[in-house]
């Protein structure tokens, strides 16, 4: 990495440290997209876990919210859907006063909740409709196809020449899998990547420059999937997600707003998390060469390495809930209507639960002890598919390449929600 770029990143991290520790605790705000982009967000959560693990931020660009930053407290909130509802949104969203007028139309892209934004019983019946697409039997059927595609992707990579791992590997494998789940036209699969990035990244920091472009892109996405719905609803039931929604007893009479909300959830959930963990695994192993050596010496550690990477990376930094009643929690009074943010990224660094949490250790005794998939009724429906893709890609990498070498600090996502990578320059020096 160039010296100038290192200096800029170091300056950004020092600024974040000063901001985190010089700000009065009562007004501390950990929700800075710039800090996540610069990998300097950790200091906010270190302070909150130590000094105020159930913390109220009275004002920010996202309004007022509570931050829950310790592992066991996050689990307690996540599993208490009776008090902490998903029905008013599952992520921090900029308050209206900080957005231009056209942004409201772009942000209100669906107008109806997906099943992750529902409470029981609506949540349960809609989730049940799509669950067969990622059931164990279906994953077993998909595994050979994922492995074949992983091999084709890896065999097409240049040797001895720098390239972007995010684009050629992480995006490609996850988008291929997502296209299969949707039975989406395979030659147009990169539309899914574009739409996902448009939904999760502020204009000017992702694939579109303005809120007007964002609105147009999401309208295109909506119209595309409505066409797919119309095709599937007139065809016999099949095993893809669109057909399941079109023919499911609890979803076949839904509005197109409701349908599109579920589509956006499935696009983001099926794309961002796995893609950013694939990239994160390459980065983590390069940062920790002793662990890379350990993995090469013993490929049976791949499943454990996958789980450790999912914890270490935490591809979704937070989820939020809304209190539907006054509630006493850890000595604080959370009021009805308050926004409550579970910072998974912080809970996964809680040293009261996870020993040496900042270390990347691929043979931890309990590698699946992490918060990255959530808990309770909203636990990630595709968690086993994510683990399967990560396991297969690393089995195939180790068969082919003695090393995937990261050349410079990656470009990270400008987001407080998706914790990932926009670009990661690597080189593969040789084949086995």
């Amino acid at each position: 990495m160039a010296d100038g770029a290192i200096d800029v990143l170091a300056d950004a991290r020092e600024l974040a440290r000063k901001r985190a520790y010089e700000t009065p605790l009562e007004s501390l705000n950990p929700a800075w997209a710039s800090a996540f982009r610069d990998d300097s967000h950790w200091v906010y959560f270190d302070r909150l876990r130590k000094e105020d693990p159930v913390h109220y931020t009275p004002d920010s660009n996202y309004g007022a919210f509570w931050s829950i930053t310790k592992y066991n407290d996050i689990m307690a909130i996540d599993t208490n859907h009776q008090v902490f509802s998903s029905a008013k949104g599952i992520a921090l969203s900029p308050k209206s006063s900080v957005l231009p007028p056209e942004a409201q139309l772009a942000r209100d892209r669906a107008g109806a909740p997906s099943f992750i934004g529902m409470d029981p019983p609506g949540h349960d019946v809609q989730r049940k409709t799509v669950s067969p697409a990622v059931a164990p039997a279906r994953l077993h059927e998909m595994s050979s196809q994922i492995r074949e595609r992983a091999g084709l992707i890896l065999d097409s990579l240049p040797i001895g020449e720098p390239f972007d791992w995010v684009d050629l590997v992480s995006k490609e494998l996850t988008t291929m899998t997502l296209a299969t789940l949707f039975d989406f036209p395979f030659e147009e699969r990169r539309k899914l990547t574009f739409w996902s990035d448009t939904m999760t990244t502020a204009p000017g920091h992702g694939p579109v420059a303005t809120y007007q472009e964002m609105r147009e892109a999401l309208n295109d996405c909506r119209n595309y999937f409505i066409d797919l719905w119309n095709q599937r609803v007139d065809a016999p039931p099949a095993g893809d997600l669109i057909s399941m929604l079109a023919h499911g007893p609890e979803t076949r009479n839904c509005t197109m707003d409701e349908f599109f909300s579920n589509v956006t959830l499935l696009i983001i959930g099926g794309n961002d998390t796995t893609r950013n963990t694939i990239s994160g695994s390459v980065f983590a192993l390069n940062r920790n060469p002793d662990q890379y050596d350990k993995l090469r010496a013993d490929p049976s550690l791949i499943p454990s390495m996958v789980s450790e990477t999912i914890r270490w990376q935490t591809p979704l930094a937070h989820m939020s809930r809304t209190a539907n009643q006054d509630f006493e929690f850890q000595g604080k009074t959370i009021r009805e209507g308050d926004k409550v943010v579970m910072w998974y990224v912080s809970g996964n660094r809680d040293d009261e639960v996870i020993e040496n949490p900042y270390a990347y250790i691929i043979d931890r005794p309990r590698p699946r002890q992490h918060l990255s998939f959530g808990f309770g009724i909203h636990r990630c429906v595709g968690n086993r598919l994510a683990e399967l893709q990560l396991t297969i890609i690393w089995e195939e990498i180790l068969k082919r390449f003695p090393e995937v070498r990261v050349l410079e600090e990656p470009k990270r996502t400008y987001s407080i929600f998706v914790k990932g990578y926009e670009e990661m320059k690597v080189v593969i020096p040789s084949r086995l």
Side-chain angles (χ1 to χ4, degrees):
M1 187 174 181
D3 290 344
I6 292 173
D7 291 343
V8 169
L9 197 55
D11 289 346
R13 290 170 178 168
E14 180 57 30
L15 177 63
R17 177 167 292 280
K18 289 184 66 175
R19 179 189 277 169
Y21 282 96
E22 293 180 1
T23 300
L25 185 62
E26 59 270 19
S27 57
L28 186 66
N29 170 26
W32 294 97
S34 58
F36 280 89
R37 176 199 60 200
D38 299 333
D39 199 38
S40 58
H41 55 288
W42 305 106
V43 290
Y44 295 96
F45 299 113
D46 288 345
R47 184 181 180 194
L48 289 177
R49 284 196 306 274
K50 292 174 184 175
E51 299 181 30
D52 197 18
V54 180
H55 172 77
Y56 187 68
T57 297
D59 189 34
S60 76
N61 283 348
Y62 306 94
F65 61 92
W66 291 91
S67 286
I68 314 298
T69 54
K70 293 185 74 66
Y71 190 104
N72 289 325
D73 290 344
I74 291 169
M75 281 192 64
I77 298 293
D78 219 357
T79 54
N80 188 356
H81 64 269
Q82 295 87 355
V83 173
F84 298 100
S85 169
S86 298
K88 293 185 179 180
I90 52 90
L92 284 176
S93 181
K95 60 184 181 181
S96 299
S97 61
V98 304
L99 292 173
E102 67 271 17
Q104 289 297 309
L105 292 171
R107 190 174 63 177
D108 299 338
R109 57 185 177 268
S114 63
F115 63 81
I116 200 173
M118 293 181 176
D119 299 321
H123 163 273
D124 299 345
V125 295
Q126 291 212 17
R127 180 182 172 111
K128 185 178 179 180
T129 299
V130 300
S131 293
V134 288
R138 176 65 173 138
L139 296 184
H140 180 73
E141 293 174 5
M142 291 179 66
S143 62
S144 60
Q145 186 179 61
I146 294 171
R147 189 175 301 280
E148 179 183 3
R149 290 173 176 171
L152 291 172
I153 291 167
L154 297 174
D155 288 340
S156 70
L157 298 177
I159 301 300
E161 299 176 14
F163 66 92
D164 179 11
W165 182 270
V166 174
D167 184 49
L168 294 190
V169 181
S170 301
K171 286 183 179 181
E172 191 65 2
L173 181 64
T174 51
T175 305
M176 284 181 174
T177 303
L178 188 58
T180 299
L181 289 170
F182 281 134
D183 192 16
F184 191 90
F186 203 68
E187 67 281 1
E188 297 188 82
R189 61 189 179 278
R190 279 300 181 106
K191 289 180 182 286
L192 297 169
T193 307
F194 172 75
W195 290 328
S196 179
D197 291 347
T198 299
M199 294 171 194
T200 58
T201 311
H205 297 280
V208 299
T210 67
Y211 279 99
Q212 179 59 32
E213 290 178 19
M214 181 182 191
R215 183 185 177 194
E216 291 170 358
L218 296 180
N219 282 338
D220 289 344
C221 179
R222 178 189 173 95
N223 291 335
Y224 199 110
F225 274 92
I226 289 175
D227 286 345
L228 291 179
W229 167 284
N230 290 333
Q231 294 170 23
R232 308 289 161 79
V233 79
D234 292 331
D240 65 273
L241 288 167
I242 307 302
S243 183
M244 288 178 178
L245 291 168
H247 292 278
E250 304 295 338
T251 53
R252 63 190 176 199
N253 295 318
C254 68
T255 67
M256 288 299 96
D257 281 351
E258 292 168 332
F259 166 64
F260 186 58
S261 288
N262 279 325
V263 164
T264 61
L265 165 65
L266 295 167
I267 289 175
I268 295 169
N271 178 60
D272 283 290
T273 52
T274 307
R275 160 179 135 195
N276 288 313
T277 310
I278 292 173
S279 299
S281 64
V282 173
F283 186 60
L285 289 166
N286 271 261
R287 261 195 174 181
N288 300 273
D290 60 321
Q291 301 300 304
Y292 206 167
D293 290 342
K294 192 185 298 182
L295 184 68
R296 282 186 288 244
D298 184 5
S300 72
L301 290 173
I302 289 174
S304 176
M305 179 275 289
V306 164
S307 292
E308 173 69 346
T309 306
I310 292 168
R311 179 198 70 85
W312 185 86
Q313 178 62 34
T314 317
L316 291 182
H318 79 269
M319 286 283 182
S320 71
R321 303 287 185 260
T322 303
N324 58 28
Q325 64 186 65
D326 290 358
F327 191 75
E328 296 293 321
F329 187 73
Q330 302 292 31
K332 305 290 182 74
T333 301
I334 298 174
R335 299 294 183 186
E336 179 182 356
D338 283 358
K339 183 71 72 175
V340 180
V341 180
M342 302 173 291
W343 290 103
Y344 295 151
V345 68
S346 176
N348 279 339
R349 295 297 190 274
D350 185 352
D351 61 8
E352 291 184 8
V353 176
I354 300 169
E355 184 178 357
N356 198 6
Y358 278 93
Y360 181 74
I361 304 169
I362 67 169
D363 54 355
R364 282 185 182 273
R366 298 176 62 194
R368 299 190 82 226
Q369 182 186 30
H370 62 74
L371 296 166
S372 300
F373 291 134
F375 281 92
I377 64 170
H378 293 295
R379 182 170 172 80
C380 176
V381 69
N383 67 90
R384 295 296 187 183
L385 176 58
E387 291 172 337
L388 178 66
Q389 291 181 82
L390 284 152
T391 298
I392 288 174
I393 193 69
W394 270 102
E395 288 172 347
E396 297 304 312
I397 289 170
L398 292 182
K399 291 176 185 176
R400 289 167 170 79
F401 311 132
E403 180 185 13
V404 179
R405 184 185 304 164
V406 176
L407 297 175
E408 58 190 39
E409 189 77 11
K411 180 182 178 183
R412 293 177 174 85
T413 305
Y414 183 88
S415 173
I416 63 167
F417 183 59
V418 173
K419 184 172 171 289
Y421 306 89
E422 297 299 309
E423 184 178 291
M424 185 181 296
K425 288 294 178 66
V426 305
V427 66
I428 299 173
S430 62
R431 294 185 186 274
L432 289 172

